[in-house]
Amino acid sequence: MTARDKADTIRALFAAYLANDRKRVEDSFITDFRFTSPYDDALDKATYFERCWRTSDWIARHELERIFVQGSEAFVTYLCVAKDGRSFRNTEFFTFRGDKVSRIDVYFGAAYQNGRLLQQPR
């Protein structure tokens, strides 16, 4: 799988999330997929979908700002804009095994509303 193929897989995953296409997302992950975020530590595939999957009807759009691929790993930074005007930026670190995603680690970014940074509680 080339770097371009990996970047295209990431773009397709974001499109699948926005379309609520769970099957397409599931099919992109290996069987022993793991997911980590500030709220979750190495969730398995079943637990990820149980805890983290929800409809995306609250999302207006994702703006993929940058994707860097090196070998079997990739970073993506994106802006997620909600239908109510709120937005936030995250960075995700993807690990691939073959042509599937084996791991995603999410790093939450700042929240914005109407173009202004919202202070987060400390």
Side-chain angles (χ1 to χ4, degrees):
M1 186 174 211
T2 68
R4 184 180 182 96
D5 293 335
K6 290 177 182 90
D8 287 345
T9 296
I10 291 168
R11 286 184 191 91
L13 272 169
F14 276 85
Y17 277 105
L18 203 54
N20 288 312
D21 189 344
R22 179 175 168 160
K23 180 170 176 15
R24 200 159 103 199
V25 173
E26 284 186 69
D27 290 348
S28 298
F29 296 164
I30 64 170
T31 302
D32 60 342
F33 169 81
R34 292 290 182 260
F35 175 83
T36 297
S37 79
Y39 302 129
D40 309 289
D41 187 25
L43 298 181
D44 63 21
K45 189 174 181 176
T47 306
Y48 167 76
F49 281 102
E50 179 183 304
R51 274 196 205 170
C52 303
W53 183 265
R54 61 182 182 147
T55 63
S56 63
D57 61 349
W58 61 277
I59 299 173
R61 69 186 183 280
H62 289 121
E63 295 177 14
L64 301 182
E65 296 176 351
R66 59 188 65 84
I67 299 174
F68 293 105
V69 178
Q70 183 173 354
S72 63
E73 300 171 330
F75 276 103
V76 59
T77 298
Y78 60 92
L79 175 69
C80 180
V81 180
K83 290 181 179 175
D84 68 2
R86 290 178 299 131
S87 63
F88 58 88
R89 293 171 106 177
N90 287 349
T91 293
E92 298 187 7
F93 181 71
F94 284 70
T95 304
F96 288 83
R97 189 179 310 151
D99 63 348
K100 296 196 180 267
V101 176
S102 62
R103 182 177 185 94
I104 299 174
D105 296 320
V106 177
Y107 302 91
F108 294 159
Y112 293 87
Q113 187 165 8
N114 300 320
R116 296 182 58 98
L117 176 71
L118 298 176
Q119 285 296 118
Q120 301 300 307
R122 293 187 189 261

